[in-house]
Each structure stands twice: as C-alpha cells, then as structure tokens.
Amino acid sequence: MKSFVVFALCVVAALAAPPTTNDGDAQILRYESDNIGVGPYAYTLETSNGISAQENGQLKNVGSENEALEVRGQFSYPGPDGVLYTVTYVANENGFQPSGAHLPQPPQ
C-alpha cells in the first residue's frame, strides 16, 4: 500500500510541474500541514507563481480486511498559454483517478 501512495504522489508531482517556466524565484505564500505521522492528514500550498495544491488522506475500513488509504486532492498551475489548469483526484484501492477539463475523457 505504501508503494502505491508513493507512486500516486510521484504522478501528481509530475503532472503538477508546469512545463518550461522559470519558477526559480517563486515564493511559498501559504503552507499549512496537519500531519503528525499517524491518522488522517491534510495540507494546503500556494506559491507566488500561481501554483496551488491541497490534499487530505485517511484510512478507510480501519481494522478490516478491506483497509485502504484514500487520498483526495487537487492542484492548479498556470500554463504557458495563460490558462489555469486544475486537476482533481482520488487515489485509493481503485488506483489514481484524476479529472480535469483539459484531460482526455474515457469513451462513454
């Protein structure tokens, strides 16, 4: 389960990175974290270059055979075309499930 969470976070980080922008001078405007290492967690992040992210996670079905970590969140970044891109996601026992207006949609 831990490797799944690490993989999901890597995917999120890769998707969040705005392409070919010079963000070397970006400043963190807001960072809040509620994480003591056990139990549910949450964080919020905003930077001066328009990137924002928030996420929370908790165990579902604690103590049962179906115990699983569920993570919900979203991130936004300004694209080089001036559009603000937002991805909302859930990561749980069913995998990483992103959604966003700019992402391809599966056939109906």
Side-chain angles (χ1 to χ4, degrees), residues 76-87:
S76 300
Y77 62 92
D81 54 1
V83 173
L84 182 65
Y85 293 94
T86 300
V87 175

Side-chain angles (χ1 to χ4, degrees), residues 1 4-5 9 33-44 54-60 62 68-74 89-92:
M1 179 54 76
F4 166 77
V5 172
L9 292 176
S33 177
D34 181 11
N35 184 352
I36 61 171
V38 295
Y41 74 91
Y43 76 84
T44 300
Q54 64 180 32
E55 181 177 286
N56 62 65
Q58 65 182 9
L59 280 176
K60 294 180 0 178
V62 177
L69 178 63
E70 180 166 276
V71 175
R72 294 180 176 273
Q74 76 172 33
Y89 59 89
V90 174
N92 57 24

Side-chain angles (χ1 to χ4, degrees), residues 18-24 49 78-80:
T20 65
T21 59
N22 183 8
D23 294 327
N49 60 352

